[in-house]
Amino acid sequence: MADPLRQFLPYSLEDLPALLSTPREAPREALSAGLVAYLRRLGAPPASLEAAQKLAQPNSRAIVSGQQAGLLTGPAYTFYKAHAALKLAQAQSPQPVVPVFWVASQDHDTDEIRSIELLDFEERVHRLQLELPPGHPAGRIPFAPYFAQVCGLLQHFGGYPEVRERICKAIAGQWSYSEAFARLLLEFLGPAGLVVFDPMAPELAPLFVPALKREIADPLASSQAINRTALAMKKAGLEPALGRGEAATNLFLEGSDGVRRLLRFRAGHFEDGQRHYSTTDLLALLEQDPARITPAAGLRPVLQDTVLPTAGFVVGPGELKYVAELGGVYELHGLKPPAVIRRMGVTLLEPPIERILQKYGLEAWAFQADPEGTFKAALAQQEARVQAIRAHLARINAELEQIQSLLTDPTLNRPRHRAQARIQHELERLERKILDSALRQENTTGAQFARLQRHLAPAGPQERVYPFLMYLLKHGEIVLERLAELPATGNHTLSLT
């Protein structure tokens, strides 16, 4: 964690033991009862139910992570977040520390959760993009209309039939989009004790009413707190991730048309771009259906921690900044922030890819950071023409150094230096062209580079594109077993050889 950011994140992994032993208020009995009811409705395995029951104990704590309800659980880092929470919670035994995965069912950015991309054994790409209603929270969208498309994709993709059957069984039925997502997590990680939390579930949404009432009573206070921290971050040389606009609250309202809209507060009333609401109107809506009023990103982690006895919050690298802006919002709700812990990263290496990396002496994470640059640097060490050019350049430089002794006139130093620089520039340019050509040609080298890119960096790092379930389909349960062996933090490679 960078030092300038550290001042805005008071607690990190090293503070977790102290936070676990610090008293933490939470509605434990109601929380545990609601979670058990929700998990039973979703058909959660016994280990998940047992973990949820532990939250009723007075000294219980939670290690929380979360993500949007992506199609087929979305990018693989969803599983890595969940695994990090599991691993951290398991390490705290015998204290009842429960791993909780928060399903972002309230999120209405359907473009981010409606598509999937799979790479099969023949390296064919299978894509599916669903037509989800824009602006609707994932927790309100029925999944059943999309079931046939999703399982049809898996049938065409192939792989282990028993894994495909487990996936399709989990998502079959009259579930919402977020519930189908939750059932998949419970299917594969519930047996390890993961608890899934959907804030829009009718069993759980009422838990947030007290905190939402506080926000409604002073609707701009949390936005102002975020903007103050954003200003302080700018002064510290950081670019804040959040900023609340004029009159913007940290609350959204789901309208009668199902669309989720930001609430603004002006002249003593709320507005969502469609109509005005009084404080009394919102409180009445909250009583009728507490899931209709939901937090913005600048409030969501805080609402999470008003209900859960959170000791640690596992986040991705992009989330660190926006969580860092929430210190003032935690204060408004009378809470101490949890330890903010960067999630683990994983790159899965299938056998052919591992062999290519070994051939060129490449490291998977370095390749993902700069595929072309890293590959060219490795290729240059093995390309005979490049090595010959470098040897010639070394000899030319040596010769020019000898010429220097003949140039007694100081005015000739600059022309000699220009000549040397130009020769070096042109030979290096020739080297780059050789490497460019090697990557673009339809030969073994070019094909191997393209193959590495398809597997490791198709449109960014592998973990942000392909779902973890893809690897389960291709390689079976061994993938999950090997993931369970990895530490909760740091970047790792997972060999599937």
Side-chain angles (χ1 to χ4, degrees):
M1 191 179 299
D3 285 340
L5 190 60
R6 185 69 177 85
Q7 64 181 296
F8 298 97
L9 291 168
Y11 305 112
S12 56
L13 180 59
E14 57 264 29
D15 302 300
L16 185 58
L19 291 172
L20 287 166
S21 60
T22 302
R24 183 96 188 192
E25 293 297 318
R28 284 178 169 83
E29 289 188 10
L31 166 66
S32 179
L35 269 171
V36 169
Y38 162 71
L39 292 169
R40 280 185 177 148
R41 180 167 64 82
L42 264 63
S48 185
L49 291 168
E50 289 168 14
Q53 289 165 350
K54 289 180 183 177
L55 283 168
Q57 298 179 31
N59 65 334
S60 65
R61 297 291 186 277
I63 305 290
V64 184
S65 192
Q67 190 57 38
Q68 292 164 295
L71 181 58
L72 293 176
T73 70
Y77 65 76
T78 298
F79 262 72
Y80 308 151
K81 281 184 167 184
H83 169 69
L86 273 165
K87 201 80 171 181
L88 287 165
Q90 290 165 355
Q92 313 309 321
S93 180
Q95 183 178 356
V97 180
V98 178
V100 177
F101 194 95
W102 178 283
V103 181
S105 57
Q106 301 159 329
D107 196 289
H108 62 283
D109 189 352
T110 53
D111 281 344
E112 291 197 9
I113 61 170
R114 69 192 182 113
S115 59
I116 196 75
E117 188 170 304
L118 308 173
L119 186 69
D120 69 15
F121 279 117
E122 304 301 319
E123 302 197 342
R124 294 171 301 198
V125 176
H126 302 252
R127 294 186 178 90
L128 177 63
Q129 185 167 287
L130 302 177
E131 293 299 323
L132 302 184
H136 287 59
R140 301 292 197 197
I141 301 171
F143 188 82
Y146 310 104
F147 172 81
Q149 286 177 269
V150 175
C151 283
L153 172 78
L154 298 182
Q155 185 71 38
H156 187 61
F157 178 79
Y160 277 68
E162 58 268 35
V163 175
R164 183 171 66 251
E165 287 166 12
R166 288 178 68 184
I167 293 171
C168 289
K169 183 178 179 182
I171 60 178
Q174 299 305 309
W175 307 107
S176 71
Y177 207 87
S178 61
E179 288 170 345
F181 171 92
R183 278 174 55 85
L184 283 174
L185 283 184
L186 290 168
E187 174 67 27
F188 292 101
L189 295 176
L194 184 71
V195 170
V196 176
F197 190 119
D198 183 337
M200 291 195 80
E203 301 90 342
L204 298 168
L207 296 171
F208 299 98
V209 168
L212 289 169
K213 284 182 175 178
R214 284 196 296 273
E215 282 290 312
I216 292 169
D218 194 355
L220 297 179
S222 61
S223 295
Q224 290 163 356
I226 288 170
N227 286 340
R228 283 194 298 271
T229 305
L231 183 60
M233 289 179 77
K234 286 182 179 179
K235 289 179 179 177
L238 297 168
E239 188 59 39
L242 293 176
R244 308 307 291 156
E246 188 270 328
T249 72
N250 267 305
L251 297 171
F252 279 85
L253 174 65
E254 182 188 347
S256 57
D257 57 358
V259 176
R260 184 175 181 246
R261 298 180 179 91
L262 178 68
L263 284 170
R264 297 183 184 275
F265 186 76
R266 294 187 179 97
H269 64 263
F270 296 86
E271 55 188 69
D272 66 354
Q274 302 292 304
R275 54 164 289 191
H276 291 175
Y277 302 86
S278 68
T279 298
T280 304
D281 292 334
L282 290 188
L283 292 175
L285 286 171
L286 199 58
E287 291 299 324
Q288 294 165 15
D289 184 357
R292 283 186 62 186
I293 300 177
T294 53
L299 181 62
R300 194 208 64 72
V302 180
L303 250 63
Q304 160 193 294
D305 296 340
T306 64
V307 168
L308 290 161
T310 309
F313 185 27
V314 177
V315 302
E319 294 168 296
L320 284 170
K321 274 190 179 180
Y322 94 74
V323 174
E325 291 187 60
L326 304 185
V329 187
Y330 273 96
E331 287 182 22
L332 286 171
H333 285 266
L335 293 172
K336 179 183 288 188
V340 179
I341 304 162
R342 181 167 173 168
R343 68 163 174 86
M344 66 187 302
V346 182
T347 299
L348 289 97
L349 301 180
E350 297 180 271
I353 300 309
E354 194 162 15
R355 288 194 294 269
I356 296 171
L357 289 170
Q358 290 169 353
K359 174 183 175 180
Y360 291 98
L362 290 167
E363 196 278 322
W365 281 94
F367 179 86
Q368 290 177 104
D370 180 11
E372 191 164 308
T374 306
F375 192 84
K376 283 180 179 178
L379 182 60
Q381 301 303 313
Q382 301 180 15
E383 170 60 62
R385 291 172 297 173
V386 170
Q387 292 303 309
I389 288 172
R390 291 181 177 180
H392 284 304
L393 181 59
R395 285 195 293 272
I396 290 168
N397 283 332
E399 292 286 344
L400 286 169
E401 290 300 326
Q402 291 181 21
I403 290 173
Q404 174 67 36
S405 63
L406 303 175
L407 303 176
T408 56
D409 185 348
T411 62
L412 297 176
N413 286 337
R414 183 173 291 179
R416 184 205 65 83
H417 177 74
R418 282 202 302 267
Q420 185 173 359
R422 181 159 187 176
I423 291 168
Q424 181 158 336
H425 171 77
E426 290 300 329
L427 288 177
E428 288 174 349
R429 184 165 169 265
L430 181 59
E431 176 185 317
R432 289 194 298 272
K433 285 186 174 294
I434 289 171
L435 295 173
D436 284 340
S437 175
L439 261 61
R440 305 292 176 255
Q441 286 181 11
E442 294 184 5
N443 57 17
T444 301
T445 301
Q448 288 176 336
F449 171 71
R451 200 172 187 189
L452 286 179
Q453 200 160 26
R454 273 195 300 275
H455 282 262
L456 300 181
Q462 176 200 87
E463 64 177 13
R464 303 192 69 83
V465 178
Y466 299 131
F468 189 79
L469 294 185
M470 180 184 89
Y471 297 99
L472 278 172
L473 283 163
K474 293 172 78 173
H475 301 280
E477 289 289 320
I478 189 67
V479 188
L480 200 54
E481 293 169 11
R482 291 186 180 175
L483 175 65
E485 296 168 359
L486 294 177
T489 58
N491 287 339
H492 310 284
T493 54
L494 193 160
S495 173
L496 297 174
T497 301

